[in-house]
Amino acid sequence: MDPKLKAYFESTLKEVSIDCVIFGFHEGELKVLLLKWKGTEGWSLPGGKIYLEESVNDAAVRILQERTGLKEIFLQQFYTFGGNDRYKNMDKAALFRKLEWAFGADFYDEKYMKRHVSLGYMALVEFEQVVATPDWYTDECMWCEISAIPELLFDHNEMVEVALKALRRQLSYQPIGYNLLPEKFTMPELQRLYETILGKQLDRRNFQKLMLSYDILEKLPEKRTGGAFKAPFLYRFDKEKYDRAMREEILFAI
Amino acid sequence: MDPKLKAYFESTLKEVSIDCVIFGFHEGELKVLLLKWKGTEGWSLPGGKIYLEESVNDAAVRILQERTGLKEIFLQQFYTFGGNDRYKNMDKAALFRKLEWAFGADFYDEKYMKRHVSLGYMALVEFEQVVATPDWYTDECMWCEISAIPELLFDHNEMVEVALKALRRQLSYQPIGYNLLPEKFTMPELQRLYETILGKQLDRRNFQKLMLSYDILEKLPEKRTGGAFKAPFLYRFDKEKYDRAMREEILFAI
DNA sequence: GCAAAAGTGTTAGACATACACCCATGC
DNA sequence: GCATGGGTGTATGTCTAACACTTTTGC
């Protein structure tokens, strides 16, 4: 095995790791960042290990930064996966044969390849700002529409589902959008975001009234020009009020 | 060190453990089960380790059963604690001196006393049915009112707070009470439960109307006799409808 | 009879929902 | 001009929230 990889294994927790469901919003679609494992056709969520003296939240921030280049974004734990059958839908032997081919004959070492508990973190990122970067295990990145996710390695399909459910639930008591949209955005864009996450259509006029009633948006004098049809106004989140709404968990009746 | 304890250490995950915030409701008070560590005056939450081939959820069920005698109750993950400073408010050296006194000179073995990631589970139990039982480390159990919890070991005070917050949040999209109340209960008792968890007073008449509107309660012909004043009716949860409401996460506007 | 707890009903107002009309832009 | 998307306003009905009266029970 590569000595650097070995050193990484030695300096990190062995039984615990982190997997991130990184949500981005682009062209009216909610997408998730996936990585393709070297030497295989298998895709997985971005993940990583925790250094011995690192808090798990710090590790999640670090991993997210390594994969997207972004710091200070919305990132939170949503569930911890600790089934003893997390490989159940896979041909584990075949996978590890391929991985040994890519990483060296002693990659599959019992010392490192123990049963893992995985902390699921979800991140909401501004799609345009992400510079997706593969990690040690992987050689390709892909933004995949939430509705067209292929079969993933391990229990990562379940992770995406649980993350999405947590995200939807969160929508009912916290605002969303600050980390998923560019600084300035239009009301229809915000609505599209909500519709995509919730998976249902919303009334244009009622949505606007509701959003404005929460008093977290600032209407700008500018409009989004260039597009076809009537130019919509631009809005911006009032960060202070937005953060307060996040903290106080105001009920968002949507 | 005791060979049985050593064997337990060898057969469990070393970096991960489980801590349980076990809520019970008694005499109009929400209470939490605490354990006192042998040889110390320190209190902590009930917890335990995960066997190598056991899923974390199974481990949580097992630990809960060991401490309360109860099975098939409400139990769920609420957060995973992975700070690298989880001992920060304690005199760690003094604690371990006391523990070595109680467990043997080699209790504090670097091999076992690593940095731990702790999975927080919360349980809602029927107070009357619990037979509280200390574990390996502890020699005393106590039900402690939520408002009068002493300073606990490790980061367990924070755990209780986070659990309580999660419980309150959950109240807004799921019914509660099935596992906290006896089979038959009165509307004022149910209301007291909600008031205790939410930490605020509710209107008697509106509460009743709201609860009945969710169609998960069955009004019984009997009344709670024996008490002073007018005898209140007894109710029972319709388990099927209750479970459906849990699954569908109907919004409980309380 | 009185105080305290419980049962039941009413009413005003807020809010969600549904819907209508006008404006801007490209073809 | 027309199709399409966007801005704004209004009416209706439902549900929440505040509140009143009656009944039961022990002292």
Side-chain angles (χ1 to χ4, degrees):
Chain A
M1 199 193 322
D2 185 292
K4 275 195 199 162
L5 187 58
K6 192 155 188 162
Y8 176 62
F9 281 170
E10 296 288 352
S11 63
T12 52
L13 291 177
K14 286 169 188 46
E15 300 168 350
V16 192
S17 59
I18 287 176
D19 287 301
C20 297
V21 180
I22 305 176
F23 289 108
F25 188 65
H26 186 58
E27 293 175 345
E29 292 285 349
L30 193 65
K31 301 185 177 183
V32 169
L33 189 64
L34 300 177
L35 302 178
K36 191 168 80 62
W37 282 53
K38 285 178 186 168
T40 79
E41 290 303 310
W43 292 85
S44 81
L45 294 171
K49 310 190 85 185
I50 302 156
Y51 288 114
L52 295 176
E53 297 300 325
E54 186 182 37
S55 85
V56 296
N57 284 333
D58 288 350
V61 170
R62 174 179 54 76
I63 290 165
L64 193 79
Q65 194 181 7
E66 287 169 2
R67 298 284 77 70
T68 65
L70 297 179
K71 250 184 133 160
E72 308 203 14
I73 53 163
F74 181 94
L75 175 68
Q76 65 179 18
Q77 239 187 68
F78 66 91
Y79 195 73
T80 295
F81 298 84
N84 48 2
D85 56 352
R86 298 187 48 221
Y87 290 82
K88 83 176 153 198
N89 290 321
M90 301 167 52
D91 184 344
K92 199 171 166 182
L95 174 68
F96 279 114
R97 269 198 305 278
K98 286 184 189 167
L99 294 176
E100 288 198 356
W101 182 85
F103 294 106
D106 52 349
F107 177 80
Y108 182 69
D109 184 327
E110 281 294 338
K111 220 168 39 178
Y112 309 125
M113 289 299 133
K114 294 191 185 201
R115 173 268 181 81
H116 254 73
V117 172
S118 219
L119 311 190
Y121 275 78
M122 69 167 157
L124 308 182
V125 301
E126 218 170 300
F127 184 90
E128 297 287 357
Q129 295 197 359
V130 172
V131 182
T133 313
D135 62 14
W136 256 105
Y137 306 97
T138 55
D139 54 9
E140 201 178 317
C141 299
M142 167 173 77
W143 281 103
C144 184
E145 255 180 58
I146 213 75
S147 55
I149 293 177
E151 189 164 323
L152 303 177
L153 294 171
F154 319 111
D155 52 357
H156 288 192
N157 288 91
E158 184 195 351
M159 284 192 189
V160 174
E161 274 173 45
V162 176
L164 194 58
K165 194 168 175 184
L167 183 61
R168 283 182 180 150
R169 187 181 291 158
Q170 189 151 348
L171 226 56
S172 67
Y173 57 84
Q174 281 182 336
I176 212 164
Y178 185 79
N179 302 283
L180 279 166
L181 294 171
E183 196 206 339
K184 298 173 182 181
F185 51 88
T186 67
M187 196 58 82
E189 283 164 2
L190 182 62
Q191 183 179 342
R192 219 75 65 217
L193 172 62
Y194 269 84
E195 287 179 336
T196 306
I197 295 176
L198 291 172
K200 66 177 180 188
Q201 300 292 103
L202 302 169
D203 183 278
R204 192 166 61 87
R205 298 148 284 192
N206 295 334
F207 179 81
Q208 173 145 348
K209 256 180 297 180
L210 200 62
M211 276 299 143
L212 293 177
S213 77
Y214 296 137
D215 190 32
I216 54 174
L217 288 175
E218 187 185 349
K219 187 173 185 172
L220 301 174
E222 323 149 53
K223 296 185 176 188
R224 159 122 332 142
T225 55
F229 317 122
K230 186 171 182 176
F233 280 101
L234 287 170
Y235 290 84
R236 178 165 56 192
F237 285 110
D238 180 324
K239 190 61 175 17
E240 209 169 304
K241 290 176 177 172
Y242 185 91
D243 285 343
R244 190 177 334 129
M246 287 287 276
R247 271 197 310 279
E248 295 175 2
E249 305 201 348
I250 291 173
L251 201 69
F252 272 59
I254 249 186
Chain B
M1 196 193 320
D2 184 291
K4 275 195 200 162
L5 187 58
K6 191 155 190 162
Y8 176 61
F9 282 170
E10 296 288 351
S11 62
T12 52
L13 291 178
K14 285 166 188 52
E15 299 168 352
V16 192
S17 59
I18 286 177
D19 288 301
C20 296
V21 181
I22 304 176
F23 290 108
F25 189 66
H26 186 58
E27 291 175 347
E29 293 284 349
L30 194 66
K31 300 185 177 183
V32 169
L33 189 64
L34 299 177
L35 301 178
K36 191 167 80 62
W37 281 53
K38 284 177 186 169
T40 78
E41 290 304 307
W43 293 85
S44 82
L45 294 172
K49 310 191 87 186
I50 302 155
Y51 289 113
L52 296 176
E53 297 301 325
E54 186 182 37
S55 84
V56 297
N57 285 333
D58 288 350
V61 169
R62 175 178 54 78
I63 290 166
L64 193 79
Q65 194 181 6
E66 287 169 3
R67 297 286 77 68
T68 65
L70 297 180
K71 251 184 132 160
E72 308 204 15
I73 54 163
F74 181 93
L75 175 67
Q76 65 178 20
Q77 238 187 68
F78 66 91
Y79 195 73
T80 296
F81 298 84
N84 47 4
D85 56 351
R86 298 185 49 218
Y87 290 83
K88 82 178 156 200
N89 290 321
M90 302 166 53
D91 184 344
K92 198 171 163 182
L95 174 68
F96 278 114
R97 268 198 306 279
K98 287 183 188 167
L99 294 177
E100 290 199 355
W101 183 83
F103 293 104
D106 52 350
F107 177 78
Y108 181 68
D109 185 325
E110 282 294 339
K111 220 168 34 177
Y112 308 125
M113 289 299 134
K114 292 192 186 200
R115 174 268 181 83
H116 256 72
V117 172
S118 218
L119 312 191
Y121 276 77
M122 67 167 158
L124 309 182
V125 301
E126 218 171 300
F127 184 91
E128 298 287 357
Q129 295 198 358
V130 172
V131 182
T133 313
D135 62 14
W136 256 105
Y137 305 97
T138 57
D139 54 11
E140 201 177 319
C141 297
M142 166 174 76
W143 280 102
C144 184
E145 254 179 58
I146 213 77
S147 56
I149 293 177
E151 189 163 324
L152 303 177
L153 294 172
F154 319 109
D155 51 357
H156 288 191
N157 287 92
E158 186 195 349
M159 284 191 189
V160 174
E161 274 173 45
V162 175
L164 194 57
K165 196 169 174 184
L167 183 61
R168 283 183 181 150
R169 187 180 291 158
Q170 189 151 347
L171 227 55
S172 67
Y173 57 84
Q174 281 183 336
I176 211 164
Y178 184 79
N179 302 283
L180 279 166
L181 295 171
E183 197 206 337
K184 299 173 181 182
F185 51 88
T186 68
M187 196 58 82
E189 283 163 1
L190 182 61
Q191 183 179 343
R192 218 75 66 218
L193 172 62
Y194 269 84
E195 286 178 337
T196 307
I197 295 176
L198 291 172
K200 66 177 181 188
Q201 300 293 103
L202 301 170
D203 184 278
R204 192 167 58 86
R205 299 148 285 192
N206 294 334
F207 179 81
Q208 174 146 347
K209 257 178 296 178
L210 199 61
M211 275 301 143
L212 292 178
S213 76
Y214 296 137
D215 190 32
I216 54 174
L217 289 174
E218 186 185 350
K219 187 173 185 172
L220 302 174
E222 323 149 55
K223 297 185 177 190
R224 160 123 331 146
T225 56
F229 317 122
K230 185 172 183 176
F233 280 100
L234 287 170
Y235 290 84
R236 178 165 57 192
F237 285 110
D238 180 324
K239 190 62 177 8
E240 209 169 304
K241 290 177 178 173
Y242 186 91
D243 286 343
R244 188 174 338 126
M246 287 289 274
R247 272 197 310 280
E248 294 176 2
E249 305 202 346
I250 290 175
L251 201 70
F252 272 59
I254 248 184

